[in-house]
């Protein structure tokens, strides 16, 4: 029952964040919202694992956390450089 | 009243109550962060609201789950997830704020000289 309460709170948060992602004035608002949405998805997977009594799902939560971070950094790099890979001799003025 | 069975029931009840408290507090922090994501006026203040939901709510909910799981492999997996999220989530948010700053996203500054409430 406590897992259902946690799932309700996290679900409401995901809806609010999704509204911000759809509204967001700049692309960085959307990236921030998607990052938060991914973390909430990890929470939902962990809570569902305990709700169903199948704690094997926690491996999926760990994998989702890894992919979420890599995806966020990749989108940020693409937004800043317009490219996901560049030659080594280009002057790198900042790191993302 | 204080035999072994009674004490086991007492500890199980305390663990359930503590788990309830942690999970409900974490869900409340998540909802507060979501409301802040909607209502705050600026990207840099929304970063603050997102970090509340991202770190505080996540940590409280996972602590509640760890109390329910007990000592074992499940708790080890939960600790791994928490450690990874605590490292990567502020890193991603910092990279996002830095990229927004370099891209020229200006913060909203409440200035008294300006009727619009925006300095720039």
């Amino acid at each position: 029952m406590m897992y259902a309460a946690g799932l309700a709170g996290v679900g409401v948060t995901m809806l609010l964040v999704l509204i911000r992602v759809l509204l967001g004035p700049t692309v960085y608002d959307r990236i921030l919202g998607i990052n938060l949405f991914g973390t909430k998805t990890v929470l939902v997977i962990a809570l569902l694992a305990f709700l169903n009594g199948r704690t094997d799902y926690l491996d999926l939560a760990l994998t989702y956390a890894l992919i979420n971070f890599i995806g966020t950094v990749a989108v940020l790099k693409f937004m800043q450089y317009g490219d996901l890979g560049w030659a080594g001799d280009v002057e790198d003025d900042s790191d993302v | 009243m204080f035999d072994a069975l009674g004490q086991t029931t007492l500890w199980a009840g305390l663990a359930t109550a503590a788990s309830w408290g942690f999970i409900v507090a974490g869900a409340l922090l998540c909802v507060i962060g979501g409301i802040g994501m909607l209502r705050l006026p600026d990207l840099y203040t929304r970063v603050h609201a997102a970090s509340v939901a991202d770190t505080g709510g996540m940590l409280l909910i996972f602590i509640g789950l760890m109390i329910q799981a007990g000592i074992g492999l499940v708790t080890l997996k939960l600790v791994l997830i928490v450690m990874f999220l605590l490292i990567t989530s502020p890193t991603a948010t910092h990279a996002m704020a830095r990229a927004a700053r370099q891209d020229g996203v200006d913060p909203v500054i409440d200035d008294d000289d300006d009727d619009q409430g925006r300095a720039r």
Side-chain angles (χ1 to χ4, degrees):
Chain A
M1 202 57 199
M2 65 183 93
Y3 309 130
L7 274 177
V10 176
V12 169
T13 309
M14 288 171 91
L15 277 180
L16 293 173
V17 168
L18 211 55
I19 292 172
R20 170 51 67 193
V21 170
L22 292 176
L23 284 178
T26 67
V27 70
Y28 298 105
D29 288 299
R30 299 173 204 265
I31 295 173
L32 180 67
I34 287 298
N35 190 19
L36 188 53
F37 195 81
T39 309
K40 295 303 130 188
T41 310
V42 173
L43 276 176
V44 163
I45 294 173
L47 282 169
L48 272 180
F50 276 81
L51 186 64
N52 290 330
R54 299 183 60 178
T55 48
D56 307 333
Y57 288 175
L58 289 177
D59 296 334
L60 299 181
L62 187 55
T63 311
Y64 204 94
L66 285 158
I67 292 177
N68 184 33
F69 173 65
I70 293 173
T72 301
V73 172
V75 170
L76 276 173
K77 191 172 176 181
F78 185 75
M79 285 309 300
Q80 196 164 18
Y81 293 103
D83 196 357
L84 282 183
W86 61 83
D89 53 351
V90 176
E91 184 182 355
D92 188 10
D93 55 347
S94 69
D95 51 346
V96 176
Chain B
M1 182 61 78
F2 289 103
D3 54 349
L5 185 63
Q7 283 195 358
T8 308
T9 312
L10 175 67
W11 282 113
L14 276 181
T16 306
S19 191
W20 261 105
F22 274 116
I23 288 180
V24 168
L28 270 180
L29 271 191
C30 285
V31 173
I32 289 170
I35 293 172
M37 280 287 287
L38 269 188
R39 287 187 56 91
L40 287 177
D42 189 5
L43 173 68
Y44 301 104
T45 50
R46 278 178 213 136
V47 169
H48 165 65
S51 72
V52 168
D54 218 4
T55 307
M58 181 271 297
L59 201 59
L60 284 177
I61 287 182
F62 273 118
I63 285 174
L65 290 183
M66 279 178 212
I67 292 174
Q68 282 297 304
I71 307 284
L73 184 62
V74 176
T75 302
L76 180 65
K77 283 180 189 173
L78 287 174
V79 168
L80 278 178
I81 295 174
V82 166
M83 279 180 57
F84 192 78
L85 281 180
L86 278 184
I87 292 171
T88 59
S89 175
T91 307
T93 308
H94 169 77
M96 196 278 307
R98 182 186 167 108
R101 178 80 181 147
Q102 284 187 354
D103 201 18
V105 178
D106 285 329
V108 174
I109 298 172
D110 192 7
D111 202 351
D112 287 333
D113 308 346
D114 196 352
D115 289 334
Q116 302 294 321
R118 291 157 192 262
R120 279 175 281 190

